[in-house]
Amino acid sequence: MSRRSGILEFAVLGLLRESPMHGYELRKRLNTSLGVFRAFSYGTLYPCLKTLVANGWLIEETSDTSDDAHAAPLAGRRAKIVYRLTAEGKEHFEELLSQTGPDVYEDEHFAARFAFFGQTSRDVRMRVLEGRRSRLEERLEKMRASLARTRERLDDYTLELQRHGMESVEREVRWLNELIESERAGRDLRGSTADGTAHGSTSGETGGLPRHRDSTRPDPSDDTTT
């Protein structure tokens, strides 16, 4: 299985854990909710769905699109296939959620994992965030070293592009620092604390996102490589 197909399977299972969907709705959710899947087609999605069905993680159900379920179907109209997560599929998705290996820290996989942080335990969120931060700090160190070696040989535009790439990585590192600090403090999206005092209330497992002084926040699906 390729890395990208593995990410797609993870995202499909995660979305279907929320509710059953047909293929068109699922593709729309993947495009709008998970930026990493902006440019993919039905030709990519449906083989993935067939694989998940074959593995026993999804089942296909027929959805009658007519107003009267007992009426004869209109000529040429095909019933929609709705995909539903099985108990085995839910168990498999929860197993994937618990994984924190090196692949999780890469750009595309991290974006997909972050999209399902609301379903992820706090300790796993912390490991993923800290691993992602370490990966970006390593990348930033390499970028700085490369820029120091080649600065004199670069024209102004190439130099500016290199600086832009570094600033993007630095911005995400700052964002990750805020997220990690919030996770440790037990704050949720509104900046509330786990005991519900001062800022509101939240459970110990569903918090994490920091309150920002402005509305800008780096998109974890952004490609920060140069």
Side-chain angles (χ1 to χ4, degrees):
M1 180 191 302
S2 70
R3 177 182 296 179
R4 187 167 179 80
S5 63
I7 297 170
L8 178 57
E9 289 186 6
F10 170 83
V12 168
L13 291 172
L15 289 175
L16 292 177
R17 187 187 186 190
E18 299 173 4
S19 65
M21 300 181 204
H22 55 75
Y24 174 80
E25 182 182 6
L26 186 56
R27 180 174 183 264
K28 184 178 179 181
R29 286 289 306 278
L30 287 165
N31 280 326
T32 57
S33 302
L34 302 174
V36 68
F37 298 109
R38 289 190 186 104
F40 85 106
S41 65
Y42 286 112
T44 302
L45 175 60
Y46 282 107
C48 172
L49 290 170
K50 294 299 182 184
T51 298
L52 295 176
V53 170
N55 288 339
W57 297 330
L58 302 181
I59 57 173
E60 297 177 329
E61 299 176 339
T62 301
S63 173
D64 194 334
T65 58
S66 65
D67 292 333
D68 184 355
H70 300 289
L74 296 177
R77 172 173 288 184
R78 297 175 58 187
K80 290 183 179 180
I81 301 298
V82 174
Y83 296 90
R84 182 184 299 274
L85 196 66
T86 65
E88 293 80 5
K90 181 179 180 181
E91 182 179 350
H92 179 62
F93 178 68
E94 290 174 349
E95 180 183 345
L96 293 176
L97 276 181
S98 68
Q99 295 178 1
T100 58
D103 284 350
V104 175
Y105 312 144
E106 300 299 336
D107 295 343
E108 289 187 347
H109 206 150
F110 174 75
R113 285 299 301 269
F114 189 85
F116 295 99
F117 261 23
Q119 303 181 42
T120 306
S121 64
R122 186 183 299 279
D123 62 324
V124 172
R125 291 197 303 261
M126 282 292 295
R127 290 199 296 272
V128 172
L129 291 172
E130 290 175 341
R132 173 65 174 175
R133 180 176 64 180
S134 295
R135 181 61 50 85
L136 290 182
E137 287 174 341
E138 292 173 3
R139 183 184 301 176
L140 190 58
E141 184 177 350
K142 291 178 181 178
M143 294 171 72
R144 287 170 174 162
S146 175
L147 184 61
R149 290 194 305 268
T150 61
R151 180 186 301 272
E152 300 302 323
R153 301 195 300 270
L154 298 178
D155 61 53
D156 290 343
Y157 294 102
T158 304
L159 184 60
E160 192 61 30
L161 183 62
Q162 294 290 321
R163 287 173 175 165
H164 173 70
M166 288 177 55
E167 289 172 359
S168 297
V169 178
E170 289 169 344
R171 185 169 62 250
E172 186 172 348
V173 169
R174 290 194 298 269
W175 173 66
L176 289 167
N177 285 337
E178 291 184 16
L179 288 171
I180 291 169
E181 179 184 353
S182 295
E183 290 286 349
R184 286 173 176 163
R187 291 195 296 268
D188 69 2
L189 180 61
R190 297 171 298 282
S192 57
T193 56
D195 62 5
T197 60
H199 300 291
S201 63
T202 182
S203 70
E205 287 297 319
T206 58
L209 292 179
R211 175 184 243 171
H212 288 264
R213 288 180 293 275
D214 54 48
S215 61
T216 60
R217 181 160 63 230
D219 182 350
S221 66
D222 284 346
D223 183 4
T224 54
T225 59
T226 60

